[in-house]
Amino acid sequence: MQSVRQAPRLHRELSKLSQRIPPRSRAVELRELHTQRTTAAHIGLSTSQILLRCILGLGAGTLAFQGFRRLHVNELHAEAPPAPVEITIEKSRKTKGLSKEENRDAISSQHLQVKKSWENPGVYAWGSNSGRVVAPDSDEALIKTPRRIPYFDGTLLRDLKLDKTFGAAITEKGDLVQWGIGYSKDARAPTPTLTGKDLKSVTLSRDRIIALGSKGKVYSLPVSKEDQARGPKLSESTWIPFWNSRSRVSYRTIQPKDLGWTEKIISISSGLENLLLLTSAGRLFSAASCSEEFPSRGEMGIPGLTWSTKPEGPYDQPHEITTLRGFEIVAIATGDYHSLALDKEGRAFAFGDNTSGQLGFDPNAESPYIDAPSLLPISRLYSGTSLSPLVTSISAGGTNSFFTVDATRVSQPGDSTSPSTGLGRITADTWACGQGILGMLGTGRWTHIQGTPVKIKALSGLFEWDETKNVVIPIRLKRLSVGSTHASATMDNVTHVHAGTSSATDSRNDTNWGADVVWWGGNEYYQLGMGKRNNVSVPGYIAPLDSLAERERAKRKEEHRFQITPRHKVDISGRKVSMEQRVECGRMCSAVYSGV
């Protein structure tokens, strides 16, 4: 009330002052009047009220100052608007004057790779060359990127295997050729050794080469040229009736007893010391494959079999794995000291060394070896997933094992029966176990020991659209090659190799393409072919085999991935031949060859 009564007096005082002060702007007068009224309004307020108003006033003033300060700073330091981005439109490729085939070469790296594999079949190799296996004519210790072996230019092979100090291949005619310092320190090129046997496949042990003939006969010969020359030579029949002659090289034959009338050996696989032999009747035999050491880690699958307990007869005589009687075996694989078998029903068995978990079981320090075939519990890997697993292939090498699985969606109690549930849909997965310190498990981790199989996500659960069948299909593995410390997987994806062969595929932009192939694992000797030395724990691509020639021919600067040419009939030296490219991972080295 006091402030209200003083208002007329304040008005009179302001009137007197206005007569004495020179005229000023109306805005200044209003500001002063507001100040005085505010001061008058505070007269009579309590001390706490005045203090509260001061605090609120100071806070508002601070906020206003900070806001002004920010505004002021932004005005002084505002960034200049970005300059307009210059957009460069890629110039269209010049196609004038180019034929259809030349245009396909220019627009597609994959088409060019397929074409070159048909025009120039042969062998590319890389990795450790300390044993002159990768480059027999060179003394270089390391071959960092794929290089052709001149001896095999224009040659098709039935099979090829590589060790660190020796290599072996079966030619299109079925002859065995060998090279490397393990064969002969003086050899600078592959040399034919065992000929005229119509061989179809070959496998390597520590010191012997085992080859399988097309009629089921198994031959075992020493790696060394010297041992082949001075060892006992068998009598062989000739084209002249009743006339025999001695073989050119020393070799032995391995033949299981009690085979059926039409039963024969159809597949062989060797570790460093043991050999598996699969018959056409689904029976499995094992034998010693090394002349230096008798298998002693259970890899033969015969419980209690040692050098001292073996029956009388040759040290490399075959023994039937009786534990697997009743299971029709369809595939076999071996690592350094362990073995795998797969039966017709999709069940996998493992036996031998398990110190790194390579058998698919957690290792036991007290019992590091399993000398009898043991069934892998693959179904446990899919427990609670409504998927029914079936092992479709097995692979092994070094201290690792791999399994590919078709997992089919099945109905479970409580599931809907509508088509949207995906019943019957197949998912293709790849599993690995064993040593992973070099990245061999392919999981992105560097695990020392892995007993329970782990899924390789990069090779599992893949699908693609099949334009021919108009349906989504799983992408499986066509082939998995496992070396001592690295591996490679060839995908079974949709391929196309018929460009220009019909009116429907004769456009300028219709190109061929092959199958994707990936690599992972140890890379100390550049065996992955990436040109770098670091180990790789996740499957990855490499550059085309002849990337420099590809860039020069197609005049492209960008990098492309290597693809494998699938099987197709092509014209080779005036004759039609069904051929394909294959990958072989050996001991510290790799190769890609043209196979029949």
Side-chain angles (χ1 to χ4, degrees):
M1 293 298 294
Q2 183 178 1
S3 61
V4 174
R5 287 194 297 268
Q6 288 179 350
R9 180 183 174 185
L10 179 61
H11 177 69
R12 290 193 298 270
E13 292 296 330
L14 288 174
S15 299
K16 294 178 182 180
L17 288 173
S18 64
Q19 296 175 0
R20 300 172 188 173
I21 299 175
R24 290 178 292 178
S25 66
R26 182 64 176 168
V28 174
E29 292 176 355
L30 291 174
R31 283 197 299 270
E32 291 181 352
L33 177 61
H34 173 73
T35 303
Q36 293 172 3
R37 284 179 177 176
T38 304
T39 304
H42 282 85
I43 299 173
L45 294 176
S46 64
T47 305
S48 61
Q49 290 175 328
I50 294 173
L51 180 61
L52 177 61
R53 292 195 176 193
C54 289
I55 293 173
L56 293 175
L58 288 172
T62 302
L63 290 174
F65 173 75
Q66 292 295 336
F68 172 77
R69 183 173 177 271
R70 290 191 181 95
L71 179 61
H72 184 64
V73 171
N74 289 339
E75 290 178 351
L76 291 177
H77 300 283
E79 296 181 359
V85 179
E86 183 178 355
I87 300 176
T88 303
I89 300 177
E90 183 181 0
K91 297 181 180 179
S92 59
R93 298 182 184 272
K94 295 182 180 179
T95 60
K96 185 177 180 181
L98 294 180
S99 65
K100 290 182 180 180
E101 191 59 31
E102 290 172 339
N103 185 66
R104 295 178 184 126
D105 292 344
I107 66 175
S108 173
S109 167
Q110 287 76 20
H111 180 85
L112 188 60
Q113 292 181 54
V114 171
K115 182 178 178 180
K116 288 175 67 67
S117 70
W118 292 341
E119 294 176 344
N120 303 296
V123 176
Y124 287 86
W126 60 93
S128 172
N129 195 45
S130 60
R132 291 207 304 268
V133 174
V134 172
D137 56 348
S138 173
D139 291 324
E140 298 174 75
L142 298 170
I143 306 299
K144 300 180 180 181
T145 54
R147 179 184 299 183
R148 290 181 72 95
I149 299 180
Y151 177 87
F152 294 112
D153 285 348
T155 301
L156 302 177
L157 300 177
R158 294 185 179 181
D159 199 6
L160 180 144
K161 293 293 186 295
L162 303 176
D163 199 276
K164 192 173 182 180
T165 60
F166 62 94
I170 306 297
T171 67
E172 186 182 5
K173 295 181 179 180
D175 295 332
L176 174 68
V177 294
Q178 295 178 236
W179 67 98
I181 63 174
Y183 168 67
S184 172
K185 294 183 179 180
D186 299 326
R188 289 287 180 171
T191 304
T193 53
L194 188 62
T195 60
K197 307 299 182 185
D198 193 20
L199 306 175
K200 69 173 188 177
S201 65
V202 65
T203 186
L204 310 178
S205 75
R206 189 191 307 277
D207 63 349
R208 298 188 73 83
I209 296 175
I210 300 94
L212 174 63
S214 60
K215 295 182 179 180
K217 196 171 184 179
V218 180
Y219 303 86
S220 173
L221 65 159
V223 170
S224 169
K225 180 180 180 180
E226 182 179 353
D227 292 340
Q228 293 177 8
R230 68 183 181 184
K233 298 179 176 61
L234 300 180
S235 176
E236 299 178 332
S237 60
T238 65
W239 62 274
I240 303 176
F242 310 107
W243 183 270
N244 293 340
S245 65
R246 292 291 177 181
S247 61
R248 293 178 56 250
V249 297
S250 173
Y251 68 85
R252 302 169 59 88
T253 59
I254 301 176
Q255 182 68 18
K257 298 179 180 179
D258 304 324
L259 290 182
W261 180 253
T262 59
E263 188 179 11
K264 66 177 183 178
I265 304 299
I266 60 173
S267 179
I268 58 174
S269 181
S270 179
L272 290 179
E273 298 175 355
N274 74 298
L275 171 69
L276 294 183
L277 305 100
L278 177 62
T279 75
S280 55
R283 291 201 292 166
L284 186 60
F285 293 80
S286 64
S289 62
C290 173
S291 58
E292 296 178 352
E293 295 287 341
F294 193 82
S296 58
R297 308 187 190 193
E299 62 266 48
M300 292 185 68
I302 311 293
L305 180 63
T306 64
W307 173 261
S308 59
T309 61
K310 70 178 182 62
E312 294 184 1
Y315 78 95
D316 57 356
Q317 60 182 305
H319 310 269
E320 184 178 3
I321 303 179
T322 56
T323 309
L324 293 177
R325 281 183 181 175
F327 299 95
E328 186 177 349
I329 304 301
V330 295
I332 54 177
T334 52
D336 283 351
Y337 300 105
H338 72 286
S339 305
L340 304 177
L342 176 66
D343 79 344
K344 189 177 181 180
E345 302 300 323
R347 292 169 293 199
F349 302 86
F351 45 99
D353 183 13
N354 193 45
T355 53
S356 296
Q358 58 264 51
L359 299 186
F361 307 101
D362 290 335
N364 185 341
E366 296 181 358
S367 301
Y369 311 136
I370 300 177
D371 60 2
S374 301
L375 178 66
L376 269 71
I378 297 295
S379 58
R380 292 184 184 177
L381 304 175
Y382 291 88
S383 59
T385 62
S386 300
L387 295 173
S388 177
L390 184 73
V391 180
T392 56
S393 72
I394 54 176
S395 303
T399 55
N400 291 93
S401 299
F402 298 85
F403 313 90
T404 61
V405 175
D406 273 3
T408 306
R409 170 84 179 188
V410 295
S411 178
Q412 295 289 341
D415 285 351
S416 171
T417 56
S418 62
S420 59
T421 58
L423 294 180
R425 184 179 185 180
I426 296 176
T427 300
D429 296 330
T430 304
W431 299 81
C433 58
Q435 190 179 78
I437 191 62
L438 299 179
M440 272 290 281
L441 297 175
T443 60
R445 298 182 179 181
W446 310 93
T447 309
H448 284 258
I449 294 174
Q450 182 64 48
T452 302
V454 291
K455 183 185 294 185
I456 304 179
K457 294 183 179 180
L459 303 177
S460 303
L462 304 178
F463 296 87
E464 66 178 340
W465 178 259
D466 190 335
E467 296 181 356
T468 304
K469 300 178 181 178
N470 290 327
V471 66
V472 175
I473 59 174
I475 302 178
R476 298 179 173 90
L477 298 190
K478 179 72 172 180
R479 186 176 290 108
L480 206 162
S481 179
V482 186
S484 57
T485 60
H486 70 295
S488 173
T490 301
M491 312 302 294
D492 194 16
N493 57 277
V494 174
T495 59
H496 180 62
V497 289
H498 300 285
T501 59
S502 66
S503 57
T505 61
D506 198 33
S507 71
R508 296 177 61 84
N509 297 327
D510 196 336
T511 61
N512 294 322
W513 69 86
D516 285 325
V517 56
V518 292
W519 311 72
W520 70 96
N523 198 27
E524 180 182 357
Y525 299 93
Y526 298 89
Q527 59 262 46
L528 296 184
M530 298 177 177
K532 300 179 181 179
R533 207 170 192 172
N534 56 294
N535 300 330
V536 178
S537 61
V538 177
Y541 298 105
I542 66 172
L545 297 180
D546 198 355
S547 57
L548 295 179
E550 182 195 59
R551 289 188 203 172
E552 180 180 354
R553 181 169 183 175
K555 295 181 173 58
R556 57 170 63 91
K557 297 180 181 179
E558 62 270 22
E559 293 290 340
H560 296 274
R561 67 180 184 271
F562 167 54
Q563 285 191 325
I564 284 286
T565 301
R567 182 169 292 280
H568 185 62
K569 279 190 176 183
V570 296
D571 192 339
I572 303 292
S573 302
R575 57 193 179 93
K576 285 289 185 179
V577 180
S578 177
M579 61 163 288
E580 64 179 348
Q581 282 186 317
R582 299 176 194 152
V583 174
E584 176 59 33
C585 293
R587 195 169 298 277
M588 315 303 178
C589 53
S590 304
V592 174
Y593 66 97
S594 301
V596 293

